[in-house]
Amino acid sequence: MNKQLKVLFIGTYVPKECGIATFTFDLLNSVSREDNDVHCEVIALNDPSETYDYPEEVVFQIQRDRIEDYYRAADFINQSDTDIVCLQHEFGLFGGNAGDYIFALLSGINKPVISTMHTIIQKPEPEYRVSTEKLIRYSEKLIVMSQTAVGMLKDIYKASEDKIELIFHGVPDCPFNNCSKYKTKLNLKGDPLVLTFGLLSQNKGIESMLDALPEVVSQYPDLVYLVLGATHPVIKKNFGEAYRQYLQNKVSELGLEKNVVFHDKFVEKEELCDYILASDVYVSPYLSREQIVSGALTYAIGMGKAIVSTPYWYAQEMLSDRRGLLVDFGDTTGFRESLLHLIENPEECDNMRKKAYDFGRKMTWKNVGKQYNMVFTRALKNYSAYSTMKKFNFLPNLLPEVKLDYLKLLTDDVGIIQHTNLGVPARHYGYSTDDVGRALVALTQLIDNQKKAEELWKLITTYLSFLEHAQTDTGHFHNFMSYKREFLDEKGSEDTLGRAVYGLGHVVSCPYLSKNIRTLAHTLISRAGHEMGKLVYPRAKAYTMCGLYEMLRTGVDADEFEVVFNSRRDAVKSIDSLISKDTFESTFINHANSLVDLYEANRKEDWNWFEPTVTYSNAKLSESLLLAYNYTKNRTYRKVGLATLDFLTEIQWKGDFFDMVGNQGWYSYNGEKPIFDQQPIEAGYLTQAYISAYEIVRDRKYLELARYSFEYFLGRNRLQTVMYDYSTGAVCDGLNRDGMNCNQGAESIVCFLMALSSLNKHINKALSTILQSRVSDEVDDETLQKRKSFLSANQVE
């Protein structure tokens, strides 16, 4: 038994009234009818504010101008059992510049794409050239409907001939009949009956035909010219019925009221076929040469009509070999003479009809369906995940070297300037305690010897000086300082307090820093002791726990600093006494217990989280409980820490990249996860949390996830965008719906450095093992380098 092939079509779809919607519907049905082992579904595109009662085969909808829908559609496709994606491509169907929103979808899927190209531009503007070239790159096969289109793809866009398939536009398989039967069925008059059909717009050139009719009607007064079709929805929305009214006024001016009939309706396919079969002559007076396909003309050919057309590209090719008559654009005389010639030469007219009908047999939907299925089968057979363009083949094998140039650029003698304009420090934003606290974490994590401590001494003392100045009389901290060195708030948020303690705790626990520096840091934390005990917000507690953990794990107590503190009382703001280790420990455990209580109050079967909404700095909550377990060995902390970290993985890991919760609304239980704006801080904190999880449970998956979350900065993200600047050490501020935020603020670079140092710690341990074995094993330099590369790429410890 053959495995069922599942094809997913992307395009507009019935009941939407447009030519491509009808084409997609007919193509889907022809493909599925010709092979019982083919199952078809549809992703339908809608214009803003459109809603349709779609048939059951429509499994997903995209709002044209909402880029998030394209990303979600890509996720849907990847998670489905779809084998082949068949895209109906027309620039105007998709949002963005030259329809480039579609590439948010195409770049994110791991299925072969077959693109049917409904428009190819001979002399494209730059954005249309780029869009076409990207479509060629992302498509396994390109299906076009004329030999002209084949030549244009090869000559203008340099598409490979092997990638191009010529399959004609489909037509219903109707008998070759005389017209009277269908005129009677539709109660139509006209001898002859001349027909133009399709959605009405100014490029149809109907006025050329109207100007040609008076002399023809004077000789054949029973002639009726039927203009069948509703006004194009976009034209009607923007311009109303101005063009139709213009045509109707022209009819009155020419005295053709008895000979010209407008049927303002969108007819279904069966009724449309009856109208075509009822007509004697089909007229296609389009005004633009740049038309690569016409469904209306194709139907007229396939049903054996006598045809008069202007010489647009598709008509020139399809009506060659006397399958129709061509007249120049806007050539009233040509239309008049061609109509008279067909009326007055019935035998020649019949021969023309038969030639068109015979040619049309190769274009029946039955044959088109067979050809598409053959293309699908070949494409799927030839498609290989290893031979096609992979999303993340640009990722480096080695981690970047630690580069502090950009951090130093943002730092002056006061602190870190918060924000930049395109990488240039923006002084009017001033400074932030939040950034300074986290920067102390990043720097102290980099210190593994006395020499490194000396290299970073100036930065660390500058940041510590800022925090000492920012601390209020109550022990809390101001957050924002202007460039004029004026604090802009009475005190910062609870998170600000937590971030300050987070950084200060790392300073206290760093053995390579001087005792004076560590004493000052301990003193500032002690002065914040009362405020730490009053914290309410969970992230503030988590930050505080991470800072206190650093002090507690190293066994630092007030006694260690008492002598220095007493001898330097003039150098620090006085307090009655330094807080004891027991007090710090009590605060630490109380906060851990409160996070567990919060988790128990909010978790559900499919929602292992502390709150009903996932917001910002998320992984720091999980990490703080993992650290609490590491210190207390209370297994409840470990259980909750891992459960919540795994939950963050579940909602953000897409199988080959992290898709962070965006801050455009956050992610609420039973809600929709926002895609943008994504912040690099989430990747940095995830990396740290995974490293902590690995250190505790030694499960290799956490080490691998740490590498992947760090590679978010290097391009392993939804937009496949490298956010880290290797030349400067800067990091861009986030991923937005329109691309990367090219500003490069302090938070981004600090979180990058925190993540990098966490990973490097494990690589350095592994490399140390190799170096120690080098002497005994006599490992040569080339082999050693290979081992280093392997370790950096795979994070083996």
Side-chain angles (χ1 to χ4, degrees):
M1 180 177 177
N2 293 330
K3 177 185 178 296
Q4 187 178 64
L5 178 69
K6 189 168 183 180
V7 181
L8 182 67
F9 291 87
I10 301 176
T12 50
Y13 202 68
V14 295
K16 182 179 176 70
E17 297 179 355
C18 87
I20 292 181
T22 303
F23 180 92
T24 308
F25 176 81
D26 289 337
L27 177 58
L28 179 148
N29 282 283
S30 68
V31 163
S32 57
R33 273 197 303 264
E34 292 311 308
D35 192 335
N36 292 330
D37 290 326
V38 176
H39 175 71
C40 299
E41 293 179 339
V42 179
I43 290 180
L45 288 142
N46 302 325
D47 287 329
S49 75
E50 285 184 341
T51 55
Y52 294 103
D53 184 15
Y54 283 117
E56 63 180 2
E57 60 264 28
V58 174
V59 293
F60 197 94
Q61 298 179 45
I62 294 175
Q63 185 174 303
R64 176 185 178 277
D65 294 322
R66 190 169 180 228
I67 196 169
E68 288 87 348
D69 285 1
Y70 295 85
Y71 289 114
R72 296 189 197 284
D75 295 341
F76 174 85
I77 293 169
N78 288 334
Q79 293 164 14
S80 73
D81 56 354
T82 295
D83 296 302
I84 291 277
V85 173
C86 186
L87 172 71
Q88 304 309 304
H89 186 270
E90 161 65 57
F91 297 103
L93 291 187
F94 316 111
N97 193 17
D100 65 358
Y101 279 9
I102 189 58
F103 301 114
L105 187 157
L106 297 182
S107 66
I109 62 175
N110 51 15
K111 315 282 184 176
V113 176
I114 313 299
S115 295
T116 303
M117 300 184 69
H118 293 263
T119 296
I120 301 172
I121 303 174
Q122 185 182 41
K123 296 179 180 179
E125 295 295 326
E127 62 269 28
Y128 286 93
R129 174 177 286 279
V130 169
S131 191
T132 302
E133 289 173 346
K134 288 177 73 172
L135 180 68
I136 293 170
R137 189 164 70 250
Y138 282 117
S139 301
E140 192 78 6
K141 289 287 185 180
L142 302 163
I143 295 178
V144 294
M145 298 180 235
S146 68
Q147 194 61 50
T148 304
V150 173
M152 290 173 64
L153 280 179
K154 290 165 59 178
D155 298 339
I156 300 171
Y157 298 97
K158 308 306 177 185
S160 168
E161 187 171 2
D162 294 340
K163 186 172 273 195
I164 306 170
E165 299 282 347
L166 172 58
I167 302 178
F168 290 116
H169 191 299
V171 296
D173 192 2
C174 298
F176 186 79
N177 279 320
N178 60 37
C179 309
S180 57
K181 170 185 173 182
Y182 293 93
K183 288 180 182 177
T184 301
K185 179 180 178 179
L186 295 173
N187 193 28
L188 293 174
K189 297 178 180 180
D191 186 21
L193 178 64
V194 180
L195 175 68
T196 292
F197 72 89
L199 293 173
L200 197 62
S201 61
Q202 286 182 311
N203 72 332
K204 296 292 186 182
I206 308 296
E207 58 271 26
S208 301
M209 263 300 297
L210 296 180
D211 287 334
L213 285 179
E215 285 191 45
V216 181
V217 168
S218 67
Q219 298 180 53
Y220 299 95
D222 292 332
L223 179 148
V224 171
Y225 179 37
L226 173 60
V227 180
L228 173 65
T231 301
H232 195 290
V234 175
I235 300 296
K236 189 171 184 177
K237 178 180 178 181
N238 295 323
F239 305 103
E241 294 287 3
Y243 181 59
R244 183 181 299 275
Q245 189 60 53
Y246 161 74
L247 295 176
Q248 289 172 338
N249 292 341
K250 181 176 277 289
V251 167
S252 299
E253 293 170 5
L254 295 171
L256 296 171
E257 291 92 338
K258 295 181 180 180
N259 302 93
V260 178
V261 177
F262 291 93
H263 277 194
D264 182 7
K265 61 187 297 189
F266 184 88
V267 294
E268 299 298 331
K269 185 175 68 173
E270 183 177 348
E271 185 180 5
L272 172 61
C273 291
D274 288 344
Y275 273 102
I276 299 171
L277 291 168
S279 65
D280 297 288
V281 179
Y282 169 72
V283 178
S284 181
Y286 292 170
L287 296 177
S288 173
R289 185 180 300 276
E290 292 76 21
Q291 179 127 350
I292 206 67
V293 67
S294 167
L297 181 62
T298 305
Y299 272 44
I301 293 171
M303 296 182 196
K305 296 291 101 180
I307 299 170
V308 181
S309 175
T310 51
Y312 52 91
W313 292 331
Y314 189 68
Q316 279 186 304
E317 183 174 331
M318 294 294 109
L319 300 181
S320 61
D321 196 24
R322 297 292 293 176
R323 290 189 289 267
L325 300 178
L326 295 175
V327 300
D328 205 359
F329 301 100
D331 183 1
T332 300
T333 302
F335 279 113
R336 181 179 68 244
E337 292 177 352
S338 296
L339 284 174
L340 289 172
H341 181 81
L342 291 173
I343 295 169
E344 293 168 356
N345 296 277
E347 185 174 341
E348 184 179 338
C349 182
D350 282 344
N351 288 334
M352 184 183 294
R353 290 183 58 204
K354 288 175 183 176
K355 280 191 173 186
Y357 184 80
D358 290 343
F359 182 77
R361 293 317 84 214
K362 66 180 71 176
M363 298 191 293
T364 61
W365 279 116
K366 181 181 180 69
N367 287 328
V368 168
K370 287 180 179 178
Q371 292 177 73
Y372 266 85
N373 280 334
M374 290 172 62
V375 171
F376 293 156
T377 302
R378 290 200 306 270
L380 189 60
K381 183 178 180 180
N382 295 331
Y383 179 77
S384 167
Y386 298 101
S387 62
T388 56
M389 181 180 63
K390 295 302 291 177
K391 281 193 276 187
F392 304 113
N393 61 357
F394 55 84
L395 290 170
N397 289 326
L398 297 173
L399 295 178
E401 294 182 0
V402 174
K403 192 177 184 68
L404 298 178
D405 301 46
Y406 192 72
L407 183 65
K408 293 176 181 177
L409 175 70
L410 295 182
T411 302
D412 58 17
D413 61 340
V414 175
I416 309 174
I417 294 176
Q418 283 191 81
H419 300 298
T420 71
N421 289 322
L422 301 177
V424 177
R427 299 183 181 188
H428 60 277
Y429 286 111
Y431 315 88
S432 167
T433 292
D434 291 340
D435 295 330
V436 169
R438 284 180 293 220
L440 284 172
V441 176
L443 293 178
T444 52
Q445 284 182 327
L446 294 173
I447 298 175
D448 56 4
N449 57 62
Q450 196 63 46
K451 182 178 180 182
K452 179 63 70 173
E454 292 169 3
E455 290 176 6
L456 300 180
W457 171 81
K458 182 176 180 180
L459 286 174
I460 289 174
T461 53
T462 298
Y463 300 158
L464 194 57
S465 174
F466 183 94
L467 292 185
E468 194 273 335
H469 184 50
Q471 193 164 41
T472 69
D473 292 338
T474 66
H476 209 297
F477 292 86
H478 296 288
N479 191 11
F480 299 116
M481 176 190 278
S482 72
Y483 192 69
K484 296 179 180 179
R485 304 188 181 191
E486 297 172 343
F487 286 113
L488 303 177
D489 50 23
E490 186 175 332
K491 68 176 181 178
S493 67
E494 287 192 0
D495 283 4
T496 296
L497 175 68
R499 289 169 185 142
V501 172
Y502 184 26
L504 292 168
H506 275 76
V507 172
V508 171
S509 67
C510 183
Y512 299 104
L513 294 174
S514 70
K515 180 162 269 190
N516 282 350
I517 288 177
R518 295 167 63 215
T519 298
L520 178 58
H522 190 284
T523 302
L524 300 183
I525 294 177
S526 294
R527 295 191 73 252
H530 181 66
E531 295 288 339
M532 283 191 288
K534 297 191 302 181
L535 293 175
V536 174
Y537 292 101
R539 282 160 187 79
K541 294 178 180 180
Y543 281 118
T544 300
M545 288 171 60
C546 290
L548 293 179
Y549 170 78
E550 290 299 314
M551 296 173 60
L552 295 171
R553 74 176 177 84
T554 54
V556 172
D557 202 351
D559 293 343
E560 180 179 347
F561 300 110
E562 194 69 41
V563 174
V564 177
F565 174 76
N566 289 332
S567 66
R568 298 298 303 276
R569 186 172 295 275
D570 59 322
V572 296
K573 296 177 181 178
S574 63
I575 56 174
D576 294 337
S577 64
L578 292 173
I579 294 177
S580 69
K581 177 181 176 182
D582 291 342
T583 303
F584 286 138
E585 190 174 84
S586 175
T587 300
F588 181 76
I589 293 173
N590 287 340
H591 288 343
N593 289 337
S594 71
L595 291 182
V596 171
D597 291 343
L598 198 61
Y599 170 76
E600 293 296 342
N602 287 284
R603 75 182 179 96
K604 298 176 177 59
E605 183 177 353
D606 56 347
W607 187 262
N608 287 319
W609 193 239
F610 301 95
E611 300 166 300
T613 303
V614 178
T615 57
Y616 65 96
S617 304
N618 300 303
K620 199 55 65 181
L621 294 169
S622 304
E623 184 188 9
S624 67
L625 283 180
L626 293 174
L627 298 179
Y629 163 75
N630 219 25
Y631 181 69
T632 66
K633 302 307 177 186
N634 183 328
R635 297 185 67 83
T636 299
Y637 300 154
R638 167 178 159 153
K639 175 185 174 183
V640 176
L642 291 177
T644 53
L645 183 58
D646 289 344
F647 175 71
L648 289 178
T649 307
E650 177 186 334
I651 65 173
Q652 296 181 119
W653 176 242
K654 310 302 291 187
D656 50 8
F657 71 96
F658 272 96
D659 202 23
M660 305 304 176
V661 172
N663 67 11
Q664 289 183 351
W666 307 124
Y667 180 30
S668 298
Y669 177 70
N670 283 338
E672 189 176 76
K673 189 183 92 172
I675 295 175
F676 301 111
D677 297 331
Q678 295 186 21
Q679 303 297 306
I681 187 175
E682 303 304 327
Y685 282 176
L686 263 180
T687 302
Q688 288 184 294
Y690 286 134
I691 291 296
S692 294
Y694 174 70
E695 289 173 341
I696 290 168
V697 300
R698 293 291 159 176
D699 186 336
R700 182 177 174 78
K701 77 172 183 180
Y702 291 116
L703 203 52
E704 293 172 346
L705 287 169
R707 173 71 187 224
Y708 295 146
S709 58
F710 177 77
E711 286 181 344
Y712 179 91
F713 295 102
L714 309 182
R716 190 184 287 278
N717 52 57
R718 175 176 286 279
L719 299 185
Q720 302 165 48
T721 298
V722 179
M723 305 172 73
Y724 177 65
D725 187 331
Y726 286 84
S727 63
T728 66
V731 178
C732 289
D733 279 348
L735 300 180
N736 304 328
R737 67 191 305 271
D738 298 322
M740 184 170 65
N741 182 346
C742 292
N743 292 318
Q744 299 165 324
E747 178 180 281
S748 302
I749 179 58
V750 166
C751 291
F752 172 86
L753 291 170
M754 291 163 69
L756 179 58
S757 61
S758 296
L759 275 177
N760 272 333
K761 179 169 59 174
H762 288 278
I763 293 175
N764 290 340
K765 286 182 181 178
L767 292 179
S768 176
T769 302
I770 291 177
L771 291 169
Q772 290 172 9
S773 67
R774 179 178 180 180
V775 175
S776 58
D777 293 344
E778 295 185 352
V779 178
D780 59 32
D781 290 334
E782 182 179 357
T783 302
L784 181 64
Q785 187 57 45
K786 287 181 179 178
R787 290 186 185 180
K788 287 182 179 180
S789 297
F790 176 81
L791 285 165
S792 296
N794 295 280
Q795 298 300 302
V796 177
E797 181 178 350

